[in-house]
């Protein structure tokens, strides 16, 4: 399903914030309705209200799939989806950032992941100030196909984390990657 005209998306999006609850949720039927998909992208890109952005990101998670998937009642991600998500990956609100990280996982799971999003997740997985943020980024980063050496390094670094649960996640992801890691030299750095 291709996005309709910009004006139609804006008009459709204008009605959605009225339905957002104080905790950043939309009624389930609204959040899962793929007819709202492009309105969600528009709201993520333009709204200044945190609860609206959170609700729109949740809606994006419920209505979009990666560019290669063929799923009934779901819309394939595109450049506008990627731009909206990328802009929110460094949002200071932890709810916005958390849902943006999850939304990033949807788009990078295709055969040609958006390199800017992969790089942002790589950075967050290594530098996020909270271990929970690092784990969220690591979990979604793993969905990207063809991870390069620089994208595997945060998993190796997470093995030294203080949190045993973060170490466990890193080890589970690295399991079976020993030969590949040795070839890339990431273990020697």
């Amino acid at each position: 399903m291709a996005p309709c005209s910009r004006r139609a998306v804006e008009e459709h999006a204008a009605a959605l914030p009225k339905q957002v609850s104080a905790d950043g949720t939309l009624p389930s039927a609204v959040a899962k309705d793929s007819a709202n998909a492009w309105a969600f992208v528009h709201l993520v890109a333009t709204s200044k209200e945190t609860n609206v952005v959170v609700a729109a990101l949740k809606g994006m998670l419920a209505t979009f799939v990666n560019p290669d998937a063929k799923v009934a009642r779901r819309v394939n991600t595109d450049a506008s989806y990627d731009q909206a998500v990328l802009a929110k990956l460094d949002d200071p609100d932890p709810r916005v950032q958390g849902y943006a990280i999850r939304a990033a996982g949807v788009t990078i799971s295709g055969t040609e992941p958006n390199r800017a999003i992969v790089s942002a997740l790589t950075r967050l997985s290594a530098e996020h100030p909270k271990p929970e943020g690092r784990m969220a980024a690591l979990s979604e980063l793993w969905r990207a196909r063809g991870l390069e050496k620089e994208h595997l390094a945060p998993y190796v670094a997470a093995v030294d984390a203080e949190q045993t649960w973060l170490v466990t996640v890193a080890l589970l992801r690295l399991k079976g990657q020993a030969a590949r890691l040795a070839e890339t030299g990431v273990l020697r750095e």
Side-chain angles (χ1 to χ4, degrees):
M1 176 187 322
C4 41
S5 75
R6 181 180 178 125
R7 182 180 171 146
V9 168
E10 290 171 354
E11 288 173 0
H12 190 79
L16 292 176
K18 297 173 193 130
Q19 299 179 59
V20 175
S21 69
D23 66 346
T25 58
L26 284 161
S28 180
V30 174
K32 294 177 181 178
D33 187 352
S34 61
N36 295 325
W38 299 112
F40 294 146
V41 171
H42 177 75
L43 289 171
V44 168
T46 62
S47 181
K48 303 294 184 219
E49 296 178 46
T50 300
N51 286 341
V52 171
V53 174
V54 169
L57 283 163
K58 289 177 183 178
M60 287 170 59
L61 285 166
T63 57
F64 280 94
V65 293
N66 76 59
D68 306 320
K70 304 290 184 241
V71 179
R73 296 182 304 274
R74 292 279 185 119
V75 179
N76 295 97
T77 62
D78 71 353
S80 62
Y81 178 103
D82 292 353
Q83 288 173 330
V85 168
L86 190 58
K88 297 302 179 186
L89 285 174
D90 287 313
D91 196 277
D93 185 283
R95 294 181 310 149
V96 171
Q97 185 182 47
Y99 282 107
I101 289 170
R102 288 184 54 204
V106 172
T107 193
I108 65 169
S109 63
T111 55
E112 293 186 31
N114 179 302
R115 290 293 163 200
I117 292 177
V118 171
S119 294
L121 286 175
T122 300
R123 178 182 47 75
L124 288 170
S125 66
E127 300 172 5
H128 197 284
K130 295 188 177 197
E132 296 85 357
R134 290 192 353 247
M135 186 174 111
L138 284 170
S139 295
E140 296 305 329
L141 181 60
W142 196 252
R143 296 175 71 177
R145 295 194 184 164
L147 289 176
E148 302 296 330
K149 172 183 165 183
E150 64 271 14
H151 304 118
L152 291 172
Y155 294 96
V156 175
V159 172
D160 293 330
E162 292 179 24
Q163 299 78 16
T164 55
W165 48 268
L166 186 55
V167 172
T168 302
V169 168
L171 289 172
L172 286 172
R173 296 296 189 210
L174 292 171
K175 181 182 174 187
Q177 297 289 322
R180 184 168 174 222
L181 291 170
E183 290 171 9
T184 64
V186 76
L187 293 176
R188 292 185 289 272
E189 294 176 0

